[in-house]
Amino acid sequence: MTVLVVGGGMIVHDQILPSLLHLKNAGAIDDVAVVASRFATVQRLREAFPGRPFATFPHRDGDAQPESYKRLIANLPAGNIVVVALPDQLHFDAVMTAIERRQHVLCVKPLVLTTRESIAIEEAARAQNVVVAVEYHKRFDDRSLMARKRSRAGMFGEFKLGSASLMEKWYYRHSNFQNWMTTENSDAFTYIGCHYVDLVHFITGLLPSSVSVYGMKDRFPNGAEGYLWTDARLLWNNGACLNVQNSLSYPEDGPGSNMQHLALYCSSGDKGAMIRHSDQYRGIEYAYATKPDTPGATAYAEPSADYYQLIDLGEEQPMPVGYGHRSIEYIVRQCVPCEAATDKLAFLRDLDERGILATQENSRYNEAVVEAGRESILNGGREVAVRYP
């Protein structure tokens, strides 16, 4: 299968493209191509992965068009894979364009910003019998899978009260985020906090019932205004409460690439129980003689071996490891047998019911929370019911 990546930003550079190039090298997929709106974007990817076989568009300065990906998708034979890695508000058009051409889709989270759009995607995908997967990579963290298995077996009792946070580094403000993560389009909870909305359901099986998101506006270096600090309070259908804090504020000199945690406190009759993931604890300490020149790098570092690393096993190309890669590989390896299946509808129904991969159907609560959260943040943080179709 051929994979066309639409978008060339940070997540493509750090996670998606190196994983796809590894899968190509391993024979799991055939060709890889990347299309972006600017030549400079794909040129940076070329420089980051020299000598690796992948096509890029546009070919030169002046050739770029905002929606040139539509022409490339139209020319792609049906039954291949389109990766959508665009700003949140552009996902719907790109995903629908791919589905209409009978392409399987891997989309970065969140899938879309409203349940109406999610339902439209589900109906189109069902008509075309294609996989539409949302890349919630934290599902493939061993911690998450361990907690899910034990929680679904009743070992923690019932989730009652919890907290989560993920603070991205300050340098994100200097990236392309400043051109799209503005107040009218998104916010820190929508873009970052959705990880933990998804994860709490993934672990416990509970569904959110209401949300309140308080956002603080701040300015990007280009002067654009965004909700760069958010505090969300989610109530769940069993009465449990989860607090989620997100921001683009982790200090430039902080040793990790971010700061994050998840803590769920539970009740089991006359006993208490808990799930606590100290995700920010890396277990690795490096002090470099020369500071790396990558964005956000520090002389003292606590790198994560859990999320994503490229390691050298003496092969021609480095091997990606961590749950960021496992997520990409799992999704790609579901698209291949789906395309080959005689009964594609049965294959897709089984994929949905297993619940490991986030599809537009089994993870629609995320879009419902995003929609309610946007209503809340634009109205001063008032509580909004999560509405399910």
Side-chain angles (χ1 to χ4, degrees), residues 47-92:
E47 294 168 356
F49 302 97
R52 303 294 292 273
F54 65 101
T56 54
F57 305 90
H59 297 302
R60 60 185 68 84
D61 269 329
D63 286 355
Q65 297 178 4
E67 294 187 342
S68 56
Y69 70 84
K70 292 187 176 181
R71 173 177 53 82
L72 293 171
I73 292 175
N75 292 332
L76 187 66
N80 287 288
I81 303 172
V82 172
V83 175
V84 176
L86 296 170
D88 297 349
Q89 67 274 17
L90 303 180
H91 288 185
F92 180 70

Side-chain angles (χ1 to χ4, degrees), residues 60-294:
R60 60 185 68 84
D61 269 329
D63 286 355
Q65 297 178 4
E67 294 187 342
S68 56
Y69 70 84
K70 292 187 176 181
R71 173 177 53 82
L72 293 171
I73 292 175
N75 292 332
L76 187 66
N80 287 288
I81 303 172
V82 172
V83 175
V84 176
L86 296 170
D88 297 349
Q89 67 274 17
L90 303 180
H91 288 185
F92 180 70
D93 283 348
V95 170
M96 288 297 283
T97 298
I99 294 171
E100 287 162 4
R101 300 297 299 184
R102 244 215 100 244
Q103 308 297 346
H104 302 279
V105 177
L106 182 162
C107 184
V108 298
K109 51 78 194 162
L111 175 61
V112 283
L113 301 178
T114 67
T115 54
R116 175 184 56 80
E117 292 174 332
S118 172
I119 291 169
I121 287 171
E122 179 190 345
E123 292 173 348
R126 186 183 295 134
Q128 297 283 21
N129 283 334
V130 292
V131 173
V132 176
V134 194
E135 204 272 308
Y136 281 105
H137 44 256
K138 283 188 175 294
R139 289 184 174 212
F140 293 87
D141 186 345
D142 291 339
R143 298 176 183 87
S144 304
L145 291 163
M146 290 167 62
R148 173 187 169 87
K149 181 179 179 181
R150 289 161 173 77
S151 177
R152 300 293 177 109
M155 294 176 67
F156 301 110
E158 186 179 25
F159 164 53
K160 293 292 188 180
L161 186 66
S163 63
S165 66
L166 203 167
M167 311 299 182
E168 299 287 12
K169 266 205 167 177
W170 192 276
Y171 80 81
Y172 275 42
R173 298 175 180 224
H174 294 270
S175 70
N176 191 49
F177 278 64
Q178 63 187 316
N179 296 318
W180 70 268
M181 207 186 90
T182 49
T183 52
E184 68 275 16
N185 292 322
S186 190
D187 54 79
F189 173 70
T190 294
Y191 181 72
I192 307 169
C194 63
H195 266 309
Y196 289 103
V197 178
D198 185 70
L199 205 53
V200 170
H201 168 80
F202 184 69
I203 292 170
T204 68
L206 295 170
L207 289 169
S209 59
S210 70
V211 61
S212 169
V213 185
Y214 175 69
M216 287 177 275
K217 296 178 182 178
D218 207 345
R219 292 200 178 275
F220 287 102
N222 67 356
E225 197 171 54
Y227 290 110
L228 305 188
W229 317 74
T230 60
D231 184 281
R233 178 176 179 264
L234 285 107
L235 301 185
W236 299 76
N237 60 344
N238 71 332
C241 179
L242 177 77
N243 174 263
V244 184
Q245 293 187 326
N246 304 111
S247 68
L248 274 62
S249 69
Y250 187 56
E252 292 291 90
D253 293 329
S257 56
N258 53 43
M259 182 64 71
Q260 55 183 305
H261 92 284
L262 172 68
L264 305 180
Y265 296 93
C266 309
S267 170
S268 180
D270 59 350
K271 292 184 178 180
M274 73 175 184
I275 301 169
R276 191 170 66 182
H277 295 172
S278 298
D279 297 346
Q280 77 279 5
Y281 177 68
R282 312 297 180 182
I284 301 172
E285 295 180 90
Y286 291 158
Y288 301 114
T290 303
K291 186 179 78 170
D293 59 4
T294 52

Side-chain angles (χ1 to χ4, degrees), residues 293-315:
D293 59 4
T294 52
T298 52
Y300 172 77
E302 297 177 6
S304 172
D306 298 325
Y307 165 54
Y308 203 97
Q309 293 292 330
L310 292 170
I311 60 171
D312 182 5
L313 291 180
E315 305 291 338

